[in-house]
Amino acid sequence: MRALTKTLVSVTTAIGIATGGLATAGTAMAAPATTAQERVVTAEVGTLAVVNLGLSSAQAKDVQRWLKTYHGYTGAIDGALGTNSWKAFQRCLKQYWGYTGAIDGIVGGGTVSALQRLLRDTGHYSGAIDGIAGPGTKAGFKAWANQF
């Protein structure tokens, strides 16, 4: 009985592998559609990203109010620094602190470097302008946000 069971499992496995091999040949043509679909999902996730860089919700709301008053922020005052908040911040950073990147709301090295220049110039940061949002940058950002 065991020998029969082993044989059936082996044959079933071999058939499954063969079928899987044939099935994957057909899906190779569909791979570009999956890739395009993944790009859309990634883009949607990117627009939902919240990067408060250590700020509390209350501090982030204060920053959003400041952005609304001075830099064209039109989003909700919700305490979540998302894409629209960072686009407004990037406009500010471009105007005054040497940000040269796209106004895309993505908090990358260029955005962080310009933020570090703002923080240094306002006396809230003394570290390197390295584009890394480390503890010193986050502490400086919190101190800067507390002035509102």
Side-chain angles (χ1 to χ4, degrees):
M1 187 67 167
R2 281 187 153 196
L4 180 60
T5 303
K6 280 185 169 183
T7 303
L8 285 174
V9 169
S10 297
V11 170
T12 305
T13 302
I15 292 171
I17 290 171
T19 305
L22 294 174
T24 58
T27 59
M29 299 301 284
T34 303
T35 303
Q37 185 178 18
E38 287 172 1
R39 263 188 249 126
V40 170
V41 169
T42 302
E44 289 172 8
V45 169
T47 60
L48 300 176
V50 173
V51 184
N52 279 12
L53 291 181
L55 297 186
S56 68
S57 179
Q59 290 167 319
K61 284 179 183 180
D62 289 339
V63 169
Q64 287 173 320
R65 285 185 197 95
W66 178 78
L67 290 169
K68 185 172 274 230
T69 301
Y70 298 106
H71 297 290
Y73 175 63
T74 58
I77 306 298
D78 58 4
L81 298 179
T83 304
N84 288 328
S85 297
W86 282 103
K87 282 181 181 180
F89 217 126
Q90 286 171 332
R91 286 192 291 274
C92 165
L93 295 171
K94 187 174 211 116
Q95 187 173 1
Y96 299 107
W97 284 282
Y99 176 68
T100 58
I103 305 298
D104 57 8
I106 297 171
V107 185
T111 302
V112 173
S113 290
L115 175 63
Q116 289 169 330
R117 284 190 287 279
L118 176 157
L119 297 173
R120 182 192 59 202
D121 290 352
T122 58
H124 297 98
Y125 177 71
S126 61
I129 307 298
D130 58 7
I132 299 169
T137 302
K138 290 177 181 179
F141 193 39
K142 286 176 82 76
W144 178 81
N146 283 336
Q147 70 187 356
F148 300 115

